[in-house]
Amino acid sequence: MITNRPWQLWSSAFIFLLFSSFNLLAQQASEMPRYTVTGKVTDEGGIPLEYATISFQSTRNPEQLTGGITDPQGNFAIEVPRGTYNINIEFISFEPKNFANRQIISDLDMGTIVLGMAAGELDEVVVTAETTQVEVRLDKKIYNIGKDLTTAGGTVADALNNVPFVSVDIEGGISLRGNENVRILINGKPSAMAGFGNTDVLSQLPAEAIERVEVITSPSARYDAEGTAGILNIILKKEKTLGFNGSVSARVGHPDQVGLSANVNYRTNKFNLFNTTGFRYFDAPGMAYSDTRYFEYTDADGELVTPTFDRLIEDRQMDRLNRNFYTSLGMEYYLTDRSSITATGFYRYGEDEDLTTNNSLAFKDGTLETLRKENQIENDNSYQIALNYINKFNDSGHQLTADFQYERDEETQNGNINEVILSNTTSIEDPFYPRERTFTEESQNEFLIQTDYVRPIGEDAQFEAGYRGNFEEEVTDYQLLLEDQQSGSLELTPLSNIFTYTENVNSLYSQYGNKFGDFSFLLGLRLENTQLKGKIESELTEEELQEEFGIPIDTDFDNNYLGLFPTVNLIYELGEQENVTLGYNRRINRPRGWFINPFPSRASRTNIFQGNPNLQPAYSDAFDLGYLKRWKKLTLTSSVYYQYETDSFERVEQISTVEDDEGNNNEVIRTIPINLATNQRVGAEAGLLYNPAKWLRLNGSVNFFQFDTEGEYNGVDYSAKNTSWYGRFSSKVTLPAKIDWQTNAFYRGASEGAQTETDGIFMVDMAVSKELFNDKASLTLNVRDLLNSRKREAYTITERFERNSEFQWRQRSITLSFTYRFNQQRNERERRRGENGNEDMEGGEGEF
């Protein structure tokens, strides 16, 4: 039971005076028959809500008002005169429930009434849910991350991989509904915590830092238009309980890993101070294997060209040793009862050492075996400062917010590459493989300015408008030194360059929402102006760069785009536990810096990735139709969706013959991102959340999708049509002695593109946890990728080569973690859950 809350004393006194004042009206109605209305009020986890208010307002005489409050068990029994009433159930920080035009002509049992957390108050909830809960809003689905054992001691990326309809591939890339172009936000804004546009940092922040994940498949105009798949908004914890509270976690595991993190919070009536700090050391070994067979071909002059080698096998082993420290410190200061200013700072230091060993076998009337080693040391410093101001003009949602954010990232990479010949039984003379050394310095600066104004209009309508400016500059200074065969010294090559990339986005938006009975809508329009600039400083001319890289190169480009992005979101309540949603939005996919930089990777001489500075933004129009139905112990979420994208990004592989200094022809396969003509995607998804018993919780989801790509590049048709699917299943069993057992399984179906067929991937995670010290601590052992099967196996064929490949980013890992919580209300609320035995959900939000 939650005690010592001033608002409870105030509300109790207020309710007493309020209902006393209605005594006269009650006496006037004393001659009418009176009936007793009973029921129980709980939260979405079945925990009784004491002091919840139940009011009855007569539809015939609105001034006739009566009611009462719930007892410590959440029960109420209220006598009201015969008549028709609008019944309202309220509790602070929760969405109220309204029952309109209820006719009371006899005693009425309303059963269990479940209140969901209010949208504006979700971050005020201290409780860590036993299971993940899902809420459906006009423009998004909210998954409050619960006590997921398989992510204990894990990272934010691990937690995202357990969110329905979200998947994290073997390289750490995040996709939504099978689409990789998803926008990652932290607390509603782009952030250094999300890795400046990539997802590396998400694999280092602890999963325990997450409060909830918003899966926004039909974003409203409030959000920027980036991300054709939608938005994942990660909300981090910020406790709001008076006093000092928090948690400390430690973890060890195999492959070598050790970590320590803490989330602490201190709040008074005037300020709230919160901090997350952690250190992590881990080894992440991986592998890559490819077997390429080359074909003879006819060149542009009609002559038959024979490749230098018939076959090339590459076997790469990757050892990645990572050490990083991060801390986030913030303070919210309450200027008045309705306004506050929050200042936060984030700092991360990373020190990584990667060793890639590439053993290659080349076949041509014999075998040429070489060993290529790349040793890379990387240091990364990232920091972010942010200010937020909020002023609530009243308690009905009328408010103004303003944000300022500055981020900077500094990264240095030093690499050494050395390739030696182990044996040569071919007729080819031993080739010369020069030693290589690379130096890369990368800096990134980003400013964000944002203001939002929200004005309710009456009880059911709301107007909103705002501005956002995002200004980003990334500078990459790259130097490549190669060994001179004659002198043996390392000399700077013309491929050294400085690449400056700038992205400035200014946007205005406005939206209006209203509710008419069971129907609600939200209409919005966003205007965005985007300026993408790039400059390459190199000794090579544009013509020489085109000859070197095989694509046209503009060394100084300035692209400017102005776009309108409308959004429409509708919801119709079929019943108290059933609704249908419909959404439409237009979005943009802007090419990031590493997709534009044309200077290639160096891990392999024959298989490289290079960016394309000619990439243009892609635009998409998406429609989403959703259905939600809740039963006592079962919740169904489902949707069908369609997306049409123009100038979509596709990665294609092209082979070219490069002549070395000794006149030997070497076949180099380049992976290049291009703008293909169109991409149509249609799909259907469904999720089931089932809690058949107190000791058993089950959930599963499945997503079927088909994409149809049309377009050609350099005279080659890359059109493809493919159907694939993925599904996940999770079960959690509560055993005696406060032990929990959880198993997660995930399968991604095979897929087929214009050039590559990819096999399906199946993986299993498993974990066991025990509560200790009166539920103040947890000890968890989890195994990720139990079968060590998270590998991508693919087959690629073109006119000039075919290749079988296998790739594993990270092998099976085992983690033992210990978490201790202090001064948190979670334990008391979970004890009340057990005492009341309310494991069932009667009309509440769905659970995982």
Side-chain angles (χ1 to χ4, degrees):
M1 174 176 168
I2 304 173
T3 58
N4 299 326
R5 287 192 176 180
W7 62 264
Q8 289 183 343
L9 300 176
W10 178 88
S11 61
S12 299
F14 175 77
I15 291 168
F16 175 78
L17 294 174
L18 177 66
F19 293 127
S20 296
S21 67
F22 295 138
N23 189 43
L24 179 61
L25 291 174
Q27 290 177 358
Q28 294 175 352
S30 61
E31 297 180 358
M32 300 180 62
R34 302 177 69 85
Y35 302 104
T36 301
V37 181
T38 59
K40 183 173 186 175
V41 182
T42 72
D43 66 6
E44 60 274 81
I47 299 177
L49 297 179
E50 183 182 4
Y51 299 112
T53 304
I54 300 91
S55 60
F56 298 80
Q57 185 176 36
S58 173
T59 58
R60 200 170 169 186
N61 182 10
E63 295 182 357
Q64 181 181 336
L65 184 68
T66 187
I69 60 175
T70 57
D71 63 17
Q73 286 73 45
N75 298 314
F76 63 88
I78 303 169
E79 283 193 355
V80 296
R82 177 189 181 118
T84 303
Y85 296 88
N86 293 325
I87 306 174
N88 188 44
I89 294 90
E90 296 180 296
F91 189 73
I92 190 170
S93 298
F94 284 75
E95 294 280 3
K97 279 279 182 74
N98 298 291
F99 302 88
N101 299 315
R102 281 295 181 95
Q103 195 175 39
I104 299 177
I105 57 177
S106 63
D107 290 344
L108 174 63
D109 184 1
M110 298 187 68
T112 300
I113 302 165
V114 179
L115 301 185
M117 292 176 291
E121 304 294 339
L122 280 173
D123 58 355
E124 302 208 6
V125 178
V126 178
V127 180
T128 298
E130 178 67 20
T131 53
T132 298
Q133 302 162 353
V134 57
E135 301 175 52
V136 177
R137 302 291 170 81
L138 265 171
D139 59 344
K140 58 193 170 187
K141 297 180 180 69
I142 300 176
Y143 294 91
N144 295 306
I145 299 297
K147 189 180 175 184
D148 192 328
L149 305 184
T150 61
T151 64
T155 66
V156 170
D158 295 329
L160 288 178
N161 205 38
N162 289 338
V163 175
F165 316 124
V166 177
S167 61
V168 181
D169 66 21
I170 57 178
E171 295 176 286
I174 299 171
S175 63
L176 175 61
R177 291 173 167 175
N179 190 340
E180 294 181 355
N181 183 227
V182 56
R183 178 70 157 166
I184 308 294
L185 302 178
I186 302 291
N187 297 331
K189 296 181 285 294
S191 172
M193 296 185 188
F196 289 99
N198 61 55
T199 58
D200 293 343
V201 178
L202 297 182
S203 63
Q204 297 160 12
L205 295 177
E208 291 86 352
I210 297 179
E211 175 69 34
R212 67 185 186 273
V213 177
E214 298 179 349
V215 181
I216 309 174
T217 55
S218 183
S220 66
R222 177 188 303 114
Y223 301 97
D224 60 43
E226 175 71 24
T228 56
I231 295 173
L232 291 179
N233 186 22
I234 301 170
I235 307 298
L236 302 181
K237 290 179 180 177
K238 183 176 69 172
E239 310 288 359
K240 289 207 170 185
T241 305
L242 289 174
F244 182 69
N245 54 78
S247 64
V248 178
S249 297
R251 67 193 72 90
V252 294
H254 174 80
D256 293 344
Q257 62 169 306
V258 62
L260 184 67
S261 63
N263 289 282
V264 295
N265 184 89
Y266 179 71
R267 181 179 177 181
T268 69
N269 290 323
K270 199 63 179 176
F271 67 87
N272 185 26
L273 189 67
F274 45 94
N275 172 257
T276 298
T277 298
F279 169 80
R280 189 167 184 237
Y281 168 96
F282 64 99
D283 187 14
M287 57 82 65
Y289 174 86
S290 66
D291 184 355
T292 308
R293 283 82 65 192
Y294 302 97
F295 308 141
E296 293 181 335
Y297 68 98
T298 304
D299 64 14
D301 297 326
E303 296 184 2
L304 185 65
V305 179
T306 301
T308 304
F309 295 103
D310 299 324
R311 183 182 181 189
L312 176 65
I313 296 177
E314 289 189 313
D315 187 359
R316 276 190 281 170
Q317 299 296 322
M318 297 168 288
D319 292 311
R320 297 182 295 269
L321 189 62
N322 300 271
R323 298 171 291 269
N324 59 75
F325 167 82
Y326 55 87
T327 185
S328 176
L329 177 66
M331 186 179 76
E332 182 176 10
Y333 183 76
Y334 305 101
L335 302 171
T336 67
D337 291 340
R338 298 185 184 275
S339 64
S340 67
I341 186 168
T342 303
T344 59
F346 170 79
Y347 173 75
R348 172 185 174 271
Y349 173 76
E351 188 175 295
D352 306 335
E353 185 172 354
D354 301 341
L355 175 62
T356 301
T357 303
N358 188 351
N359 186 272
S360 65
L361 296 171
F363 299 91
K364 181 75 170 183
D365 299 327
T367 304
L368 173 63
E369 182 177 6
T370 64
L371 183 66
R372 182 182 179 89
K373 288 188 176 182
E374 178 183 15
N375 190 295
Q376 180 174 284
I377 297 176
E378 177 180 324
N379 294 313
D380 186 13
N381 279 280
S382 301
Y383 63 87
Q384 168 187 299
I385 56 174
L387 292 173
N388 167 265
Y389 169 78
I390 181 170
N391 184 30
K392 298 181 180 180
F393 298 101
N394 54 39
D395 294 327
S396 64
H398 185 198
Q399 66 180 37
L400 173 70
T401 59
D403 292 272
F404 169 80
Q405 188 170 287
Y406 171 70
E407 307 166 3
R408 180 170 177 82
D409 180 66
E410 297 175 346
E411 184 177 301
T412 60
Q413 295 179 354
N414 296 325
N416 289 282
I417 301 175
N418 188 28
E419 186 166 6
V420 296
I421 299 173
L422 300 181
S423 66
N424 184 9
T425 64
T426 68
S427 58
I428 299 175
E429 184 179 348
D430 285 352
F432 171 66
Y433 298 122
R435 289 184 295 118
E436 302 181 23
R437 182 170 295 174
T438 60
F439 296 96
T440 305
E441 292 185 0
E442 183 175 292
S443 63
Q444 182 165 350
N445 291 280
E446 185 170 351
F447 291 88
L448 180 142
I449 302 172
Q450 178 176 333
T451 182
D452 299 279
Y453 176 73
V454 181
R455 177 64 186 266
I457 304 173
E459 293 185 1
D460 298 321
Q462 181 169 291
F463 170 79
E464 185 174 347
Y467 161 81
R468 174 182 285 185
N470 215 83
F471 312 100
E472 175 186 349
E473 182 183 70
E474 180 181 341
V475 180
T476 304
D477 188 344
Y478 174 77
Q479 296 182 28
L480 172 63
L481 291 83
L482 295 179
E483 178 186 9
D484 181 75
Q485 187 174 8
Q486 303 299 325
S487 64
S489 61
L490 293 171
E491 298 181 356
L492 195 66
T493 72
L495 289 178
S496 302
N497 69 94
I498 299 176
F499 178 61
T500 303
Y501 173 76
T502 303
E503 178 181 303
N504 297 324
V505 181
N506 287 280
S507 56
L508 295 169
Y509 82 92
S510 178
Q511 62 184 17
Y512 173 77
N514 207 335
K515 180 179 182 181
F516 299 96
D518 294 327
F519 174 75
S520 303
F521 69 84
L522 183 62
L523 307 177
L525 184 65
R526 190 175 187 90
L527 173 69
E528 290 195 351
N529 176 256
T530 304
Q531 183 183 45
L532 300 179
K533 298 169 61 178
K535 184 177 182 180
I536 300 174
E537 300 177 50
S538 170
E539 294 182 12
L540 302 177
T541 65
E542 290 186 356
E543 292 75 16
E544 291 172 330
L545 288 171
Q546 178 173 345
E547 182 179 353
E548 177 72 26
F549 299 140
I551 56 175
I553 302 294
D554 186 352
T555 58
D556 192 358
F557 62 87
D558 188 348
N559 299 324
N560 203 294
Y561 311 95
L562 184 66
L564 282 174
F565 302 92
T567 61
V568 178
N569 289 287
L570 314 173
I571 186 170
Y572 183 73
E573 300 288 343
L574 300 173
E576 293 182 19
Q577 307 299 327
E578 186 177 19
N579 63 55
V580 175
T581 58
L582 176 64
Y584 161 77
N585 61 86
R586 178 171 174 80
R587 302 190 63 75
I588 186 174
N589 183 9
R590 304 180 184 93
R592 306 299 299 177
W594 70 283
F595 249 40
I596 292 180
N597 192 336
F599 291 86
S601 60
R602 307 293 300 182
S604 169
R605 287 181 294 102
T606 56
N607 290 279
I608 63 176
F609 174 88
Q610 68 178 63
N612 181 2
N614 305 305
L615 276 181
Q616 302 295 310
Y619 294 88
S620 74
D621 294 273
F623 299 84
D624 187 293
L625 176 64
Y627 173 74
L628 170 71
K629 173 68 175 177
R630 296 188 179 99
W631 293 270
K632 186 176 181 180
K633 297 182 179 181
L634 179 68
T635 299
L636 167 68
T637 58
S638 61
S639 63
V640 293
Y641 54 92
Y642 171 78
Q643 181 185 79
Y644 181 81
E645 186 173 358
T646 57
D647 289 329
S648 63
F649 298 169
E650 299 290 338
R651 301 187 192 188
V652 300
E653 292 184 282
Q654 294 190 324
I655 186 171
S656 60
T657 302
V658 179
E659 184 176 319
D660 60 24
D661 295 336
E662 298 181 345
N664 296 316
N665 291 326
N666 296 306
E667 283 67 35
V668 177
I669 299 174
R670 303 176 188 270
T671 301
I672 306 173
I674 64 169
N675 288 111
L676 217 56
T678 62
N679 186 359
Q680 297 186 69
R681 182 182 293 265
V682 61
E685 61 189 14
L688 285 175
L689 323 171
Y690 184 43
N691 300 330
K694 183 178 181 180
W695 55 270
L696 178 62
R697 288 175 290 273
L698 306 172
N699 79 80
S701 62
V702 63
N703 182 14
F704 289 90
F705 57 91
Q706 180 185 83
F707 62 84
D708 188 355
T709 302
E710 295 183 359
E712 66 174 37
Y713 180 72
N714 285 349
V716 179
D717 186 4
Y718 291 101
S719 299
K721 189 173 184 178
N722 177 63
T723 300
S724 188
W725 69 283
Y726 64 84
R728 56 167 45 91
F729 172 80
S730 178
S731 67
K732 186 175 180 182
V733 179
T734 299
L735 303 172
K738 298 183 179 180
I739 296 175
D740 289 330
W741 182 285
Q742 182 171 330
T743 304
N744 290 355
F746 175 82
Y747 179 78
R748 184 183 182 98
S751 62
E752 182 177 349
Q755 295 178 308
T756 301
E757 299 176 5
T758 304
D759 295 342
I761 298 176
F762 176 72
M763 64 175 291
V764 175
D765 299 333
M766 192 170 291
V768 61
S769 175
K770 177 170 173 54
E771 296 297 304
L772 303 169
F773 308 131
N774 294 323
D775 297 337
K776 292 183 179 180
S778 303
L779 183 66
T780 305
L781 176 69
N782 73 64
V783 183
R784 296 193 61 81
D785 194 10
L786 177 68
L787 306 177
N788 203 34
S789 57
R790 198 179 183 191
K791 302 175 182 179
R792 182 181 61 214
E793 298 181 1
Y795 172 71
T796 302
I797 184 168
T798 71
E799 293 182 351
R800 292 183 55 182
F801 71 92
E802 64 176 347
R803 181 180 64 227
N804 292 92
S805 61
E806 181 179 318
F807 182 79
Q808 182 180 33
W809 178 255
R810 186 179 64 179
Q811 68 182 43
R812 174 179 50 229
S813 63
I814 303 173
T815 305
L816 179 66
S817 63
F818 176 80
T819 300
Y820 182 79
R821 299 171 291 272
F822 52 92
N823 297 340
Q824 293 193 356
Q825 299 175 8
R826 169 181 181 272
N827 300 324
E828 178 65 19
R829 289 176 64 92
E830 288 188 351
R831 182 187 63 79
R832 292 172 58 198
R833 179 197 302 271
E835 289 177 351
N836 290 282
N838 283 304
E839 74 276 9
D840 297 342
M841 295 190 53
E842 303 185 24
E845 303 295 348
E847 283 193 336
F848 284 94

